[in-house]
Amino acid sequence: YDWIFTKGIKGLITQFGGANSHMAIRCSELGIPAAIGCGEKKFDDIKNARSIELDCSLNTIKIVN
């Protein structure tokens, strides 16, 4: 899935995974904010949102519809 990093993404949110997952490591290497493994409920809410705010320093994901 490394091709996704060629698309100019501003952040990455995944339903599954953890701190040692490949995507988490790649995001860290590239300085891309990420929420890896946020769970089914949160991920479903996020994927249906028009706009979100991902703040890694506060560990928050805010839906900004």
Side-chain angles (χ1 to χ4, degrees), residues 6-62:
T6 67
K7 302 297 179 183
I9 63 171
K10 298 195 186 311
L12 181 69
I13 300 173
T14 67
Q15 182 175 350
F16 303 109
N20 293 323
S21 73
H22 178 69
M23 298 307 269
I25 292 166
R26 294 293 286 141
C27 285
S28 178
E29 291 172 343
L30 298 169
I32 296 172
I36 306 295
C38 66
E40 184 176 356
K41 169 71 172 100
K42 187 69 153 177
F43 188 80
D44 284 344
D45 292 343
I46 292 165
K47 76 178 183 182
N48 293 320
R50 289 178 40 164
S51 179
I52 63 147
E53 180 180 298
L54 173 61
D55 188 332
C56 294
S57 63
L58 296 175
N59 293 326
T60 61
I61 304 170
K62 180 180 175 184

